[in-house]
Structure formats: C-alpha cells, structure tokens
Amino acid sequence: MESKSIAKNLVYQRKLKGYTQEELSERTQVTVRTIQRIEKGDVNPHLQTIKLLATALDLEVEDLLPLENPKEEEIQKKWLLLMHSTPFLGFIIPLANILIPLFLWIHKREDNSLYDIQGRIIINFQISMSLLYLLSFMALLTIEKWGFFLFIAVIPFSIIVMLGNIIKVVGTHTCFYPLAIPFLKSKRVLSLKIIGFLLVGFLMTSCTNKKNKEIERIDGSLIPKDSITDKIDQLVKDAKVQGMAITIFNNKQPVYKKIFGYKDFSKKLLLTDSTNIYGASLSKAVFSIIVMKLVEDKVIDLDMPLESYLPKKIYEYRPQTRWHDDYSDLKEDSLYHKITARMCLSHTSGFQNWRSQDLKLQAYGVPGDKYDYSGEGFVYLQVILEKITGKGLEQLAQEIIFEPLGMKNSAYEWKPRFEADFAQSYATNGYMFNKDTDNEPRSASTLETTFDDYVKFLTAVLNEEIIKENSYDEIFSPQLKILSLSQLIDDSNASKEDYKDVKLSYGLGWGYLETPHGIGFFKEGRGTGFHHYSILFPESGKGVLIMSNSENKGIIYKELLELTTSDKHMPWQWFKEIPYK
C-alpha cells in the first residue's frame, strides 16, 4: 500500500509541475527507469531517493510519503471540498469568494502541499474573475451590445468552473481553473499586492454599489435612482402622460435611463429607446454642431453676411421646395442682407418664428439687435449652406453627425423604415394627432430620432466630440441677454427682478443659463404633441434629457426639473409651463 501511495503522489506532483519523467530525471539524477518503477508502484523507494524527488519538485518529503492515518484521506477530501466550495459565498457577501479561501489557505497551507497548491489556484482564480467582472461592468457602460454579452457571461462561466472543480476534487483530488492569473506564486509569501487589491477592491465595490444606486444632482446632492423612478412613475400617472423617456448624465455619461408609458396608448404598445420620435426643435441643437463643423472647415464665417456668399440675391433663386427656400418676399426687404450665421443661431436674425399667408417673411427689426426666437432664421442659414456646399441638409447631417456617432435611426426627413416603430403623439385632452411624414428637411424643426440616438448625441456634446473645444466654447458663449418673460413672446416690460436668481441668455443654437451651481445649456422641442427638454452642464459633466409624446408632460415639467437637477434655478416659467398642482 505504501508504494502505491508514493506512486500516486509522485505522478500527481510531477504532472502538476508540468515535468515529464525524463525532465524529472535530469533534475534529480534518479534514472528514468527508477522513476517509472516508483510511479507504477513496483518498488518502495529509498528515503534518499524520495528526498531528491521532493527537492526537484519543490516539495517537503512528507508530501510524497503516504499518509500514516487512513482516515486522514477522508479529512483531506473534506478540507479540499471546503476550499473549493466556499467561494460561492461571494454571491451573497462582497469579496467573500476571495477572503474565505484566503483564510483557509493561510490556515492549512503548512499541513499539506495539496492545500497550499490548490488554495493558491482557487484564490488566483477568484481574484481574476473579480477583476474580469469589474472590467465587464465597465464594458457594459461603454461598449454597445458586446459589453452586455461580456457582462452576463462572466458569472455563469465562474459558476460552471467552480462546480466542475468541486466534482473533480472529490473524485481525483485535482483541479483545473482556466484564466487564473498567478497572483500568489509562493506558499511562504503572501503578496502585499494581494492585500492591497483586496482593500482597494472592497472600497471600489462599496463605492461603486453606492454610486450605482444614486444620482448626483447639479447642486451636489445625492438622490437614489429608485426614488427618481417612483416619483416619475407617479407624476406620469397623475398627469396622464402617455409616454416619456428620461436620462440623467453624471461624469459626462448617461447613468440613469428610464422609459415610461406607451408609443401608442390605445393599443398599449410600449415606448422603447429605439422607437422613432419626432424631435421638433431639438433639430436646432444638432444643426448648430453641423454649422460649427463647416465653420472649422472654413466653408462659412459666423460673422460674414450670408447673402455675400451667393452670386445673386437670395430672392432671385427659383425655389426647389414647396415653400421653405422661397425667398421672394425679401425682394422689398432692406434689412435681411445684414443677417449672419451667428444671428441665425442666436435668434437675433429679425425674422419671425414662421411665415404664413397672412404674415409674409421679413426682418421685423435690425438683425443682431434683440432676441426673438426664429425657426425661419435657422432655415435661412440652412438654405445658404446648401447652396454653398451643393449638399442638402440631410446629407450634411448624415456625414457630420449621424454616421460618426452611430445614430442609425436619425434623419431630418421621414424614412420608410421608421414606419415599423414610431411614437404617436397626444394632446392634453388625450386626442391623438395624425403623424406628419410629409416634411422636407428643415434645420429648425424636422429631426426624426430615437431616445437612444439623442442620448448618443448629448453624450458626444458633453465629451466635445465632432467639433473642437474652441467651437464648443463659441456655441456655449452668451450672445445676447434675454429679458423676455417667455421664449416666444418678447415683453419689453420684463423686470430684471424676474431673473434675480437665473440669468438667461442665448448661445448658438442653445439657451444659456447661469445658476449658483454652474452654467447650463438647454434646448427644448415642441410640436404636435411631442414635448422635449434637454439641459447640460459641461463643466460638471451633468445633464438631463426628457423626451415625451404627450403635451401633458409640460404640466409636470417643473417637478421633473426640480427632481433631476436642483430644487431651484430651472427656468420653467420662461417656457410658460403651468404645474398641474
């Protein structure tokens, strides 16, 4: 029996070290024939031979000698089983998958080489899997689709390997843990790096778990994600909002995304992040980035009168569309020729918001003198750019914004593929509007997008992608102070007291807002039941996007902003939103 036990121990230890019989012979000067006979159990080797073999295998002599007590074999199996199974506690207690095996290894490693070797392998595997889990979580937040698959694969892989080794160690006293990085290499030295990793890992896990459950608002206060969801869910129900999507940004990344309600309320079809949503005036924010990219490329200058880029007067061109590039009304206008790109983007062009049969297009004031919200100003700039570049707005948007950012479901015109998944829109009384799919591309108003796509756009803006830093500085610089009591109605009698806490101006395509917690830049969008709002604080990397297919979203606008940004300093009055309470 003794020779058979030595034989089994020698075979196991030799293979564990990765030596062939010939390689072990070279390291010990014990002949290959002798090693073969020992491993077959044909001989009972001399103690000196055992010492030579143990030294070559970096073992103690007793590690090769048979157990004196037959019952110790059963005890050994139980300890190994305990070491391999306790990491499952890590699914309940953070880092228990490492700490408990580490404790067992320190306690038992001197008793038997099996405890030492397998203990180190278990600890190495659990540390490796913990690191992989953290990396997969980062991938989940940063890598679309594949990050999700990596994240959900780590835990099942770990469970399968751990269960397999429990079965294996009971039957053969051996184990196999793939992907285990050898952090622990010696049974006599506990690496200080491992202790450091455990402490840092524990702190990171604690902080990450806490941060993952809370949102930091612009005033620095923390609010649990669950409470945000519960509050919004109640607001949506109370105000009878058919559908709404919201995301909150921290550290220039979306950290909270939630969708409530329906794209088609009557059919109870759920709104999703890939559902087509009419963007309305969110179009202007996208267009501002397009314009600044063309400024960088020296296609246009912000302060050059736009008509100077054309070989003839704008009203002399034959219209190519049904109405928006028809500038025949300007033939008698003596002011429009002063309009620049900066004036168009800052709503100081002098044009009215939209022309009509009764209200012909014209400059109603000296361009550049005062703020007066104007979609016509944006369209005028669009038409000039189309004539300069020879490209339509849709082509420019795809080349500069949508394709680089992977906004595959966005366009300035209706696409047939949107028909498969689009949001209906609703009036305050629940009336469903007819979906308008007959718009020509217009920079101020015809954006078709999705919640997911527009989140990508705002993320790119926060991270200063597409255009250069100085171009963003230009966009987000106040052009003219706003004293009107509403976005669309100029009131020359407005008192500065109305804005003692909130200083409003307009940048290039975005509103400008000074608060005690930093400068914010906002853009809203409204049209035929769709009601959107976005605000970014680039310095702190925070922001909020709210998209809705219901006019009733306006009556909970104040509560939504106070919940997700701060209790004060959001200009809900300026948008003439009346809280439902």
Short mmCIF file of all heavy atoms in Angstrom, two decimals, residues 473-518:
data_model
loop_
_atom_site.label_atom_id
_atom_site.label_comp_id
_atom_site.label_asym_id
_atom_site.label_seq_id
_atom_site.Cartn_x
_atom_site.Cartn_y
_atom_site.Cartn_z
N ASP A 473 -16.83 76.22 -27.23
CA ASP A 473 -16.78 77.47 -26.47
C ASP A 473 -17.60 78.56 -27.17
O ASP A 473 -18.28 79.36 -26.51
CB ASP A 473 -15.33 77.95 -26.30
CG ASP A 473 -14.52 77.05 -25.38
OD1 ASP A 473 -15.14 76.28 -24.61
OD2 ASP A 473 -13.28 77.10 -25.45
N GLU A 474 -17.54 78.57 -28.49
CA GLU A 474 -18.30 79.56 -29.26
C GLU A 474 -19.80 79.30 -29.14
O GLU A 474 -20.59 80.22 -28.91
CB GLU A 474 -17.87 79.49 -30.74
CG GLU A 474 -18.35 80.66 -31.58
CD GLU A 474 -17.56 81.93 -31.35
OE1 GLU A 474 -16.34 81.94 -31.61
OE2 GLU A 474 -18.17 82.93 -30.90
N ILE A 475 -20.19 78.04 -29.28
CA ILE A 475 -21.61 77.68 -29.17
C ILE A 475 -22.17 78.05 -27.81
O ILE A 475 -23.28 78.58 -27.69
CB ILE A 475 -21.81 76.16 -29.43
CG1 ILE A 475 -21.64 75.85 -30.91
CG2 ILE A 475 -23.17 75.69 -28.96
CD1 ILE A 475 -21.72 74.38 -31.24
N PHE A 476 -21.39 77.78 -26.77
CA PHE A 476 -21.88 77.96 -25.41
C PHE A 476 -21.49 79.32 -24.81
O PHE A 476 -21.44 79.46 -23.58
CB PHE A 476 -21.37 76.82 -24.53
CG PHE A 476 -21.93 75.48 -24.91
CD1 PHE A 476 -21.14 74.34 -24.85
CD2 PHE A 476 -23.24 75.35 -25.34
CE1 PHE A 476 -21.65 73.10 -25.20
CE2 PHE A 476 -23.77 74.12 -25.70
CZ PHE A 476 -22.97 72.99 -25.62
N SER A 477 -21.23 80.29 -25.65
CA SER A 477 -20.97 81.64 -25.17
C SER A 477 -22.25 82.47 -25.31
O SER A 477 -22.92 82.40 -26.35
CB SER A 477 -19.86 82.31 -25.98
OG SER A 477 -18.64 81.63 -25.79
N PRO A 478 -22.62 83.24 -24.27
CA PRO A 478 -23.85 84.05 -24.36
C PRO A 478 -23.70 85.14 -25.42
O PRO A 478 -22.73 85.89 -25.42
CB PRO A 478 -23.97 84.63 -22.95
CG PRO A 478 -22.58 84.62 -22.39
CD PRO A 478 -21.91 83.41 -22.98
N GLN A 479 -24.66 85.21 -26.31
CA GLN A 479 -24.61 86.19 -27.39
C GLN A 479 -25.40 87.46 -27.04
O GLN A 479 -25.00 88.55 -27.40
CB GLN A 479 -25.19 85.57 -28.68
CG GLN A 479 -24.52 84.28 -29.10
CD GLN A 479 -23.05 84.47 -29.45
OE1 GLN A 479 -22.70 85.37 -30.23
NE2 GLN A 479 -22.20 83.62 -28.90
N LEU A 480 -26.53 87.27 -26.35
CA LEU A 480 -27.38 88.41 -26.02
C LEU A 480 -28.23 88.05 -24.81
O LEU A 480 -28.83 86.97 -24.77
CB LEU A 480 -28.29 88.76 -27.21
CG LEU A 480 -28.97 90.12 -27.17
CD1 LEU A 480 -27.94 91.23 -27.34
CD2 LEU A 480 -30.02 90.22 -28.29
N LYS A 481 -28.28 88.92 -23.81
CA LYS A 481 -29.06 88.66 -22.61
C LYS A 481 -30.55 88.64 -22.95
O LYS A 481 -31.02 89.44 -23.76
CB LYS A 481 -28.77 89.71 -21.55
CG LYS A 481 -29.46 89.43 -20.21
CD LYS A 481 -28.98 90.37 -19.15
CE LYS A 481 -29.71 90.13 -17.84
NZ LYS A 481 -29.55 88.76 -17.35
N ILE A 482 -31.28 87.73 -22.32
CA ILE A 482 -32.71 87.60 -22.56
C ILE A 482 -33.47 88.23 -21.41
O ILE A 482 -33.26 87.89 -20.24
CB ILE A 482 -33.11 86.11 -22.70
CG1 ILE A 482 -32.42 85.50 -23.93
CG2 ILE A 482 -34.62 85.97 -22.82
CD1 ILE A 482 -32.63 84.02 -24.06
N LEU A 483 -34.40 89.13 -21.73
CA LEU A 483 -35.23 89.75 -20.71
C LEU A 483 -36.72 89.48 -20.97
O LEU A 483 -37.58 90.03 -20.27
CB LEU A 483 -35.00 91.26 -20.67
CG LEU A 483 -33.62 91.70 -20.16
CD1 LEU A 483 -33.48 93.21 -20.24
CD2 LEU A 483 -33.39 91.22 -18.74
N SER A 484 -37.03 88.67 -21.95
CA SER A 484 -38.44 88.39 -22.24
C SER A 484 -39.01 87.44 -21.19
O SER A 484 -38.29 86.66 -20.58
CB SER A 484 -38.58 87.76 -23.62
OG SER A 484 -37.89 86.54 -23.68
N LEU A 485 -40.31 87.52 -20.98
CA LEU A 485 -40.98 86.67 -20.00
C LEU A 485 -41.28 85.30 -20.54
O LEU A 485 -41.74 84.43 -19.82
CB LEU A 485 -42.27 87.34 -19.52
CG LEU A 485 -42.07 88.55 -18.61
CD1 LEU A 485 -43.40 89.15 -18.23
CD2 LEU A 485 -41.32 88.16 -17.35
N SER A 486 -41.08 85.10 -21.83
CA SER A 486 -41.24 83.76 -22.38
C SER A 486 -40.36 83.64 -23.61
O SER A 486 -39.88 84.62 -24.17
CB SER A 486 -42.71 83.48 -22.73
OG SER A 486 -42.93 83.43 -24.11
N GLN A 487 -40.15 82.40 -24.02
CA GLN A 487 -39.26 82.15 -25.15
C GLN A 487 -39.79 82.76 -26.44
O GLN A 487 -39.05 83.26 -27.25
CB GLN A 487 -39.07 80.64 -25.32
CG GLN A 487 -38.22 80.29 -26.52
CD GLN A 487 -37.90 78.82 -26.61
OE1 GLN A 487 -36.83 78.47 -27.06
NE2 GLN A 487 -38.80 77.98 -26.18
N LEU A 488 -41.10 82.71 -26.63
CA LEU A 488 -41.67 83.11 -27.91
C LEU A 488 -42.32 84.49 -27.90
O LEU A 488 -42.67 85.02 -28.93
CB LEU A 488 -42.71 82.08 -28.36
CG LEU A 488 -42.16 80.69 -28.67
CD1 LEU A 488 -43.29 79.72 -28.93
CD2 LEU A 488 -41.22 80.73 -29.85
N ILE A 489 -42.53 85.08 -26.74
CA ILE A 489 -43.21 86.37 -26.66
C ILE A 489 -42.27 87.38 -26.01
O ILE A 489 -41.96 87.29 -24.83
CB ILE A 489 -44.51 86.26 -25.84
CG1 ILE A 489 -45.43 85.21 -26.45
CG2 ILE A 489 -45.22 87.61 -25.77
CD1 ILE A 489 -46.66 84.92 -25.62
N ASP A 490 -41.85 88.36 -26.77
CA ASP A 490 -40.96 89.38 -26.24
C ASP A 490 -41.77 90.39 -25.43
O ASP A 490 -42.78 90.89 -25.87
CB ASP A 490 -40.25 90.09 -27.40
CG ASP A 490 -39.25 91.11 -26.88
OD1 ASP A 490 -38.80 90.95 -25.74
OD2 ASP A 490 -38.94 92.06 -27.62
N ASP A 491 -41.33 90.64 -24.23
CA ASP A 491 -42.01 91.58 -23.35
C ASP A 491 -41.00 92.63 -22.89
O ASP A 491 -40.16 92.36 -22.04
CB ASP A 491 -42.62 90.85 -22.15
CG ASP A 491 -43.47 91.76 -21.29
OD1 ASP A 491 -43.36 92.99 -21.44
OD2 ASP A 491 -44.24 91.23 -20.47
N SER A 492 -41.09 93.81 -23.45
CA SER A 492 -40.11 94.84 -23.14
C SER A 492 -40.26 95.36 -21.72
O SER A 492 -39.39 96.07 -21.21
CB SER A 492 -40.25 96.01 -24.13
OG SER A 492 -41.58 96.53 -24.05
N ASN A 493 -41.38 95.01 -21.07
CA ASN A 493 -41.61 95.48 -19.70
C ASN A 493 -41.10 94.50 -18.65
O ASN A 493 -41.33 94.69 -17.46
CB ASN A 493 -43.11 95.71 -19.48
CG ASN A 493 -43.64 96.82 -20.37
OD1 ASN A 493 -42.99 97.84 -20.56
ND2 ASN A 493 -44.82 96.59 -20.94
N ALA A 494 -40.44 93.44 -19.07
CA ALA A 494 -39.95 92.44 -18.12
C ALA A 494 -38.98 93.08 -17.15
O ALA A 494 -38.14 93.90 -17.53
CB ALA A 494 -39.28 91.31 -18.86
N SER A 495 -39.12 92.70 -15.90
CA SER A 495 -38.26 93.27 -14.86
C SER A 495 -37.06 92.37 -14.62
O SER A 495 -37.16 91.15 -14.68
CB SER A 495 -39.06 93.43 -13.57
OG SER A 495 -38.20 93.72 -12.49
N LYS A 496 -35.94 92.99 -14.33
CA LYS A 496 -34.75 92.20 -14.00
C LYS A 496 -34.96 91.38 -12.74
O LYS A 496 -34.28 90.39 -12.51
CB LYS A 496 -33.55 93.13 -13.84
CG LYS A 496 -33.11 93.79 -15.14
CD LYS A 496 -31.86 94.63 -14.93
CE LYS A 496 -31.41 95.27 -16.24
NZ LYS A 496 -30.19 96.09 -16.06
N GLU A 497 -35.92 91.81 -11.91
CA GLU A 497 -36.21 91.07 -10.69
C GLU A 497 -36.75 89.67 -11.00
O GLU A 497 -36.63 88.76 -10.20
CB GLU A 497 -37.22 91.83 -9.83
CG GLU A 497 -36.64 93.01 -9.09
CD GLU A 497 -35.56 92.57 -8.11
OE1 GLU A 497 -35.82 91.69 -7.26
OE2 GLU A 497 -34.42 93.08 -8.22
N ASP A 498 -37.36 89.54 -12.18
CA ASP A 498 -37.89 88.22 -12.56
C ASP A 498 -36.77 87.20 -12.71
O ASP A 498 -37.01 86.00 -12.68
CB ASP A 498 -38.66 88.32 -13.89
CG ASP A 498 -39.92 89.17 -13.75
OD1 ASP A 498 -40.56 89.10 -12.67
OD2 ASP A 498 -40.24 89.89 -14.70
N TYR A 499 -35.54 87.67 -12.91
CA TYR A 499 -34.42 86.77 -13.15
C TYR A 499 -33.26 87.05 -12.19
O TYR A 499 -32.09 86.98 -12.56
CB TYR A 499 -33.95 86.91 -14.61
CG TYR A 499 -35.00 86.49 -15.59
CD1 TYR A 499 -35.82 87.43 -16.20
CD2 TYR A 499 -35.21 85.14 -15.87
CE1 TYR A 499 -36.81 87.04 -17.08
CE2 TYR A 499 -36.20 84.74 -16.76
CZ TYR A 499 -37.00 85.70 -17.35
OH TYR A 499 -37.98 85.31 -18.21
N LYS A 500 -33.60 87.40 -10.95
CA LYS A 500 -32.54 87.71 -9.99
C LYS A 500 -31.72 86.48 -9.63
O LYS A 500 -30.55 86.59 -9.27
CB LYS A 500 -33.13 88.34 -8.73
CG LYS A 500 -34.10 87.43 -7.98
CD LYS A 500 -34.69 88.15 -6.77
CE LYS A 500 -35.69 87.25 -6.04
NZ LYS A 500 -36.28 87.95 -4.89
N ASP A 501 -32.33 85.28 -9.70
CA ASP A 501 -31.61 84.04 -9.40
C ASP A 501 -31.14 83.33 -10.66
O ASP A 501 -30.22 82.53 -10.62
CB ASP A 501 -32.50 83.09 -8.59
CG ASP A 501 -32.79 83.62 -7.21
OD1 ASP A 501 -31.90 84.29 -6.65
OD2 ASP A 501 -33.89 83.38 -6.70
N VAL A 502 -31.80 83.59 -11.78
CA VAL A 502 -31.49 82.88 -13.01
C VAL A 502 -31.16 83.89 -14.10
O VAL A 502 -31.98 84.75 -14.42
CB VAL A 502 -32.67 82.00 -13.47
CG1 VAL A 502 -32.33 81.28 -14.76
CG2 VAL A 502 -33.06 81.03 -12.38
N LYS A 503 -29.97 83.79 -14.65
CA LYS A 503 -29.56 84.69 -15.72
C LYS A 503 -29.64 83.95 -17.05
O LYS A 503 -28.93 82.98 -17.27
CB LYS A 503 -28.13 85.19 -15.47
CG LYS A 503 -28.01 86.03 -14.20
CD LYS A 503 -26.58 86.50 -13.98
CE LYS A 503 -26.47 87.32 -12.70
NZ LYS A 503 -25.08 87.78 -12.46
N LEU A 504 -30.52 84.44 -17.90
CA LEU A 504 -30.75 83.79 -19.18
C LEU A 504 -30.10 84.56 -20.31
O LEU A 504 -30.13 85.80 -20.34
CB LEU A 504 -32.26 83.69 -19.46
CG LEU A 504 -33.04 82.61 -18.73
CD1 LEU A 504 -34.53 82.84 -18.92
CD2 LEU A 504 -32.65 81.24 -19.25
N SER A 505 -29.52 83.83 -21.25
CA SER A 505 -29.01 84.40 -22.50
C SER A 505 -29.21 83.33 -23.55
O SER A 505 -29.77 82.27 -23.28
CB SER A 505 -27.53 84.78 -22.39
OG SER A 505 -27.32 85.73 -21.36
N TYR A 506 -28.75 83.61 -24.76
CA TYR A 506 -28.79 82.58 -25.78
C TYR A 506 -27.42 82.46 -26.41
O TYR A 506 -26.74 83.46 -26.66
CB TYR A 506 -29.84 82.86 -26.86
CG TYR A 506 -30.61 81.61 -27.23
CD1 TYR A 506 -31.75 81.25 -26.52
CD2 TYR A 506 -30.17 80.77 -28.23
CE1 TYR A 506 -32.45 80.09 -26.81
CE2 TYR A 506 -30.85 79.61 -28.53
CZ TYR A 506 -31.99 79.26 -27.82
OH TYR A 506 -32.66 78.10 -28.11
N GLY A 507 -26.98 81.21 -26.60
CA GLY A 507 -25.73 80.95 -27.29
C GLY A 507 -26.01 80.74 -28.77
O GLY A 507 -26.85 81.40 -29.35
N LEU A 508 -25.30 79.79 -29.37
CA LEU A 508 -25.51 79.48 -30.78
C LEU A 508 -26.28 78.18 -30.90
O LEU A 508 -25.71 77.09 -30.86
CB LEU A 508 -24.17 79.38 -31.51
CG LEU A 508 -23.29 80.64 -31.46
CD1 LEU A 508 -22.01 80.43 -32.26
CD2 LEU A 508 -24.05 81.87 -31.97
N GLY A 509 -27.60 78.30 -30.97
CA GLY A 509 -28.45 77.12 -31.08
C GLY A 509 -28.90 76.56 -29.75
O GLY A 509 -29.76 75.68 -29.71
N TRP A 510 -28.34 77.04 -28.65
CA TRP A 510 -28.66 76.55 -27.31
C TRP A 510 -28.92 77.74 -26.39
O TRP A 510 -28.27 78.78 -26.49
CB TRP A 510 -27.48 75.75 -26.72
CG TRP A 510 -27.06 74.55 -27.50
CD1 TRP A 510 -26.46 74.54 -28.74
CD2 TRP A 510 -27.17 73.18 -27.11
NE1 TRP A 510 -26.20 73.26 -29.14
CE2 TRP A 510 -26.61 72.39 -28.16
CE3 TRP A 510 -27.66 72.55 -25.98
CZ2 TRP A 510 -26.55 71.01 -28.09
CZ3 TRP A 510 -27.60 71.16 -25.90
CH2 TRP A 510 -27.06 70.40 -26.95
N GLY A 511 -29.86 77.55 -25.45
CA GLY A 511 -30.07 78.55 -24.42
C GLY A 511 -28.95 78.50 -23.41
O GLY A 511 -28.30 77.47 -23.21
N TYR A 512 -28.71 79.64 -22.75
CA TYR A 512 -27.61 79.80 -21.80
C TYR A 512 -28.21 80.17 -20.45
O TYR A 512 -29.03 81.08 -20.35
CB TYR A 512 -26.67 80.90 -22.31
CG TYR A 512 -25.56 81.31 -21.38
CD1 TYR A 512 -24.29 80.77 -21.51
CD2 TYR A 512 -25.78 82.28 -20.38
CE1 TYR A 512 -23.25 81.17 -20.67
CE2 TYR A 512 -24.75 82.67 -19.54
CZ TYR A 512 -23.49 82.12 -19.69
OH TYR A 512 -22.47 82.52 -18.86
N LEU A 513 -27.79 79.48 -19.41
CA LEU A 513 -28.39 79.64 -18.10
C LEU A 513 -27.31 79.68 -17.02
O LEU A 513 -26.53 78.74 -16.90
CB LEU A 513 -29.34 78.46 -17.85
CG LEU A 513 -29.94 78.29 -16.46
CD1 LEU A 513 -30.93 79.40 -16.17
CD2 LEU A 513 -30.60 76.93 -16.35
N GLU A 514 -27.24 80.76 -16.26
CA GLU A 514 -26.30 80.85 -15.14
C GLU A 514 -27.03 80.50 -13.85
O GLU A 514 -28.09 81.06 -13.55
CB GLU A 514 -25.72 82.26 -15.04
CG GLU A 514 -24.77 82.62 -16.17
CD GLU A 514 -24.14 83.98 -15.97
OE1 GLU A 514 -23.99 84.39 -14.80
OE2 GLU A 514 -23.81 84.63 -16.97
N THR A 515 -26.46 79.57 -13.09
CA THR A 515 -27.03 79.21 -11.79
C THR A 515 -25.91 79.23 -10.75
O THR A 515 -24.72 79.23 -11.10
CB THR A 515 -27.64 77.79 -11.82
OG1 THR A 515 -26.60 76.81 -11.72
CG2 THR A 515 -28.44 77.56 -13.09
N PRO A 516 -26.24 79.21 -9.47
CA PRO A 516 -25.19 79.13 -8.44
C PRO A 516 -24.38 77.84 -8.52
O PRO A 516 -23.32 77.75 -7.90
CB PRO A 516 -26.00 79.19 -7.12
CG PRO A 516 -27.27 79.86 -7.48
CD PRO A 516 -27.58 79.41 -8.88
N HIS A 517 -24.86 76.86 -9.28
CA HIS A 517 -24.18 75.57 -9.36
C HIS A 517 -23.47 75.36 -10.69
O HIS A 517 -23.02 74.25 -10.98
CB HIS A 517 -25.19 74.45 -9.14
CG HIS A 517 -26.06 74.66 -7.94
ND1 HIS A 517 -25.56 74.73 -6.66
CD2 HIS A 517 -27.39 74.86 -7.84
CE1 HIS A 517 -26.56 74.94 -5.82
NE2 HIS A 517 -27.67 75.03 -6.50
N GLY A 518 -23.37 76.42 -11.49
CA GLY A 518 -22.67 76.29 -12.76
C GLY A 518 -23.52 76.79 -13.92
O GLY A 518 -24.70 77.13 -13.77
#
